[in-house]
Amino acid sequence: MQNKEKKKDSRLMYIGSTIVLLLLKGKSLLALLKFGKLGGVIFSMAISIGAYALIYPWQFALGIVLLLLIHEMGHVFAAKQKGLPVSAPLFIPFLGAMITMKKTPLDAKTEAYIAFGGPVLGSIGAAGVFLAAYWLDSPVLYSLAYVGFFLNLINLLPIHPLDGGRIATAVSRWLWLVGLVGGLGVIIYLRSWLFFIIWALFAYDLYKKFIRDRNRNVVESVMASFIVPVEHLYAQGAILPGPEHKRELPFSTYCKLEEQRQYVKVQWVSMDFNGIISMPQQGIIKRVLVNGLEHQRTPEDYHIKINCQVEYTRYENDKYYDVPLSSRWKFGISYGLLAAVLIGMMYLVHSVGNINV
């Protein structure tokens, strides 16, 4: 909105970070009170409304949270249409709102479709606020409509994890370069530390993907621990390995299609141990190592904690970005039209409502 609000950005980010911690603590409270998913949404919305009301009129605070809800529900509806389950919206004061997908899209076309849902429905919500502002001649509603259009426009920047960065996957990944350069100009104009952090993370991700890791397979690792009962082995007089013991374990890997998740099954025959490790992303497994043991012995029982390390390289699905040319044109034209409509609506609100920006 006004220039003075831009100067508050750093302070708001710190306030938002503090409230994020409260929300994380609030998750435990919600579990204790058995609020469920709807309770979590209401709880985080109430926290956000209260936080915004410390700075803005309560009507504006309520309105901005409702507009964020409409935006996120756009993603929810789009994901449901594609048969992908998502979490309930979580509101983070001064940082916005978010949903998480329980399954990843199978292709860039699906990812872009879901990304479009937010700014499309969010823009319709902001248009409704503008009509109400015109009907009631309300300065608060005019300001709210302007901010609603502005937030949806900013979300269209071709920068991950913003919606525009996900839409760009189905149009052209060259748009990421536009976002890298143009996004920096927007940050300078807004003087926003929050957008600078988003831009910096995006820039580093592009560096890793297209420069650092372009010509070499980077080996990553994931750790997992298992508690294995060995009392029966000890009673049989078996020689148990010491804490510094290291070895490679035989393994097999498989995927559950309904979960779209990869698992690694490991085995240590002499320890009578079989374990399953869930992978954070799809990968080509190099080896599974035992990386130390922890003996846990009591008068009643004897266990050994086995620390396993899975080494792997990420699997890049090149077909993910194979989008038909006709779909690229449709997404590209829709992307440009939506951005143009939002800019036009911001100008209209500014003219009719006499908004100072």
Short mmCIF file of all heavy atoms in Angstrom, two decimals, residues 2 39 105-107 139 199 211 225 244 256 263 278 281 315 317 341 346 352:
data_model
loop_
_atom_site.label_atom_id
_atom_site.label_comp_id
_atom_site.label_asym_id
_atom_site.label_seq_id
_atom_site.Cartn_x
_atom_site.Cartn_y
_atom_site.Cartn_z
N GLN A 2 0.86 2.03 1.11
CA GLN A 2 1.62 3.26 1.15
C GLN A 2 3.10 2.95 1.29
O GLN A 2 3.51 1.89 1.73
CB GLN A 2 1.16 4.13 2.32
CG GLN A 2 -0.24 4.70 2.14
CD GLN A 2 -1.32 3.71 2.53
OE1 GLN A 2 -0.99 2.61 2.94
NE2 GLN A 2 -2.57 4.09 2.39
N GLY A 39 -10.20 -27.10 12.70
CA GLY A 39 -9.76 -26.33 13.85
C GLY A 39 -8.40 -25.70 13.63
O GLY A 39 -8.14 -24.57 14.04
N PRO A 105 2.87 -33.62 -8.34
CA PRO A 105 2.32 -33.76 -9.70
C PRO A 105 3.22 -34.64 -10.55
O PRO A 105 4.45 -34.67 -10.36
CB PRO A 105 2.30 -32.32 -10.21
CG PRO A 105 2.31 -31.46 -8.98
CD PRO A 105 3.10 -32.22 -7.98
N LEU A 106 2.63 -35.32 -11.50
CA LEU A 106 3.39 -36.21 -12.37
C LEU A 106 4.05 -35.49 -13.53
O LEU A 106 4.94 -36.03 -14.17
CB LEU A 106 2.48 -37.33 -12.90
CG LEU A 106 1.91 -38.28 -11.85
CD1 LEU A 106 0.99 -39.29 -12.51
CD2 LEU A 106 3.02 -38.99 -11.09
N ASP A 107 3.60 -34.27 -13.82
CA ASP A 107 4.17 -33.53 -14.94
C ASP A 107 4.00 -32.03 -14.72
O ASP A 107 3.24 -31.60 -13.84
CB ASP A 107 3.52 -33.95 -16.27
CG ASP A 107 2.00 -33.91 -16.22
OD1 ASP A 107 1.44 -32.84 -15.92
OD2 ASP A 107 1.37 -34.96 -16.46
N PRO A 139 -13.57 3.19 1.83
CA PRO A 139 -12.11 3.30 1.64
C PRO A 139 -11.36 2.03 2.08
O PRO A 139 -10.38 1.65 1.46
CB PRO A 139 -11.74 4.50 2.52
CG PRO A 139 -13.01 5.28 2.66
CD PRO A 139 -14.11 4.26 2.67
N TRP A 199 13.84 -14.64 -3.33
CA TRP A 199 14.63 -14.52 -4.56
C TRP A 199 15.99 -15.18 -4.40
O TRP A 199 16.47 -15.87 -5.32
CB TRP A 199 14.78 -13.04 -4.91
CG TRP A 199 15.63 -12.80 -6.14
CD1 TRP A 199 15.19 -12.75 -7.43
CD2 TRP A 199 17.04 -12.58 -6.18
NE1 TRP A 199 16.25 -12.52 -8.28
CE2 TRP A 199 17.40 -12.41 -7.54
CE3 TRP A 199 18.03 -12.52 -5.21
CZ2 TRP A 199 18.70 -12.18 -7.94
CZ3 TRP A 199 19.35 -12.29 -5.61
CH2 TRP A 199 19.67 -12.12 -6.97
N ILE A 211 24.10 -25.04 -13.01
CA ILE A 211 25.53 -24.74 -13.07
C ILE A 211 26.33 -25.74 -12.25
O ILE A 211 27.13 -26.51 -12.80
CB ILE A 211 25.81 -23.30 -12.56
CG1 ILE A 211 25.10 -22.28 -13.48
CG2 ILE A 211 27.31 -23.02 -12.55
CD1 ILE A 211 25.26 -20.85 -13.04
N SER A 225 17.54 -44.52 11.62
CA SER A 225 17.98 -45.33 12.76
C SER A 225 16.92 -46.37 13.10
O SER A 225 15.72 -46.11 12.95
CB SER A 225 18.26 -44.44 13.98
OG SER A 225 19.31 -43.52 13.72
N GLU A 244 31.79 -48.77 16.84
CA GLU A 244 32.43 -48.17 15.67
C GLU A 244 32.28 -49.02 14.42
O GLU A 244 32.87 -48.72 13.39
CB GLU A 244 33.92 -47.95 15.96
CG GLU A 244 34.20 -47.07 17.16
CD GLU A 244 33.60 -45.69 17.01
OE1 GLU A 244 33.63 -45.17 15.87
OE2 GLU A 244 33.12 -45.13 18.00
N LYS A 256 5.77 -47.11 -3.99
CA LYS A 256 4.33 -47.28 -3.84
C LYS A 256 3.65 -46.22 -4.69
O LYS A 256 3.76 -45.02 -4.41
CB LYS A 256 3.93 -47.14 -2.37
CG LYS A 256 4.39 -48.28 -1.49
CD LYS A 256 3.83 -48.16 -0.07
CE LYS A 256 4.24 -49.35 0.78
NZ LYS A 256 3.68 -49.25 2.17
N TYR A 263 10.96 -46.35 -1.42
CA TYR A 263 11.42 -46.96 -0.18
C TYR A 263 12.64 -47.84 -0.45
O TYR A 263 12.80 -48.39 -1.55
CB TYR A 263 10.32 -47.82 0.46
CG TYR A 263 9.11 -47.03 0.92
CD1 TYR A 263 8.04 -46.79 0.06
CD2 TYR A 263 9.05 -46.51 2.21
CE1 TYR A 263 6.94 -46.07 0.47
CE2 TYR A 263 7.94 -45.78 2.63
CZ TYR A 263 6.90 -45.57 1.75
OH TYR A 263 5.80 -44.84 2.16
N SER A 278 12.27 -44.66 4.18
CA SER A 278 11.51 -43.82 3.25
C SER A 278 12.43 -42.74 2.69
O SER A 278 13.10 -42.03 3.44
CB SER A 278 10.32 -43.19 3.98
OG SER A 278 9.63 -42.30 3.13
N GLN A 281 13.05 -38.05 -1.74
CA GLN A 281 12.70 -37.84 -3.14
C GLN A 281 13.17 -39.05 -3.95
O GLN A 281 13.89 -39.90 -3.43
CB GLN A 281 13.35 -36.56 -3.69
CG GLN A 281 14.85 -36.54 -3.63
CD GLN A 281 15.38 -35.74 -2.47
OE1 GLN A 281 14.81 -34.74 -2.10
NE2 GLN A 281 16.48 -36.19 -1.89
N TYR A 315 17.00 -38.64 -8.94
CA TYR A 315 16.50 -39.04 -10.25
C TYR A 315 15.75 -37.87 -10.87
O TYR A 315 14.78 -37.36 -10.31
CB TYR A 315 15.56 -40.24 -10.11
CG TYR A 315 14.83 -40.58 -11.39
CD1 TYR A 315 15.50 -41.12 -12.48
CD2 TYR A 315 13.46 -40.34 -11.51
CE1 TYR A 315 14.84 -41.43 -13.66
CE2 TYR A 315 12.79 -40.64 -12.69
CZ TYR A 315 13.48 -41.19 -13.75
OH TYR A 315 12.81 -41.48 -14.91
N ASN A 317 13.47 -36.65 -13.76
CA ASN A 317 12.55 -37.12 -14.78
C ASN A 317 12.50 -36.10 -15.92
O ASN A 317 11.80 -35.09 -15.82
CB ASN A 317 11.16 -37.34 -14.18
CG ASN A 317 10.18 -37.89 -15.20
OD1 ASN A 317 10.56 -38.27 -16.30
ND2 ASN A 317 8.91 -37.93 -14.82
N VAL A 341 -4.75 -8.30 -16.61
CA VAL A 341 -6.01 -7.98 -15.92
C VAL A 341 -5.73 -7.46 -14.52
O VAL A 341 -6.35 -6.48 -14.07
CB VAL A 341 -6.91 -9.23 -15.87
CG1 VAL A 341 -8.07 -9.00 -14.91
CG2 VAL A 341 -7.44 -9.55 -17.26
N MET A 346 -5.71 -3.01 -10.70
CA MET A 346 -5.03 -2.16 -9.72
C MET A 346 -5.14 -0.69 -10.13
O MET A 346 -5.37 0.19 -9.29
CB MET A 346 -3.56 -2.58 -9.60
CG MET A 346 -3.35 -3.90 -8.88
SD MET A 346 -1.62 -4.45 -8.90
CE MET A 346 -0.84 -3.10 -8.00
N VAL A 352 -10.60 4.87 -9.20
CA VAL A 352 -11.97 5.02 -8.66
C VAL A 352 -11.95 5.24 -7.16
O VAL A 352 -12.68 6.10 -6.63
CB VAL A 352 -12.80 3.76 -8.99
CG1 VAL A 352 -14.19 3.82 -8.33
CG2 VAL A 352 -12.93 3.58 -10.49
#
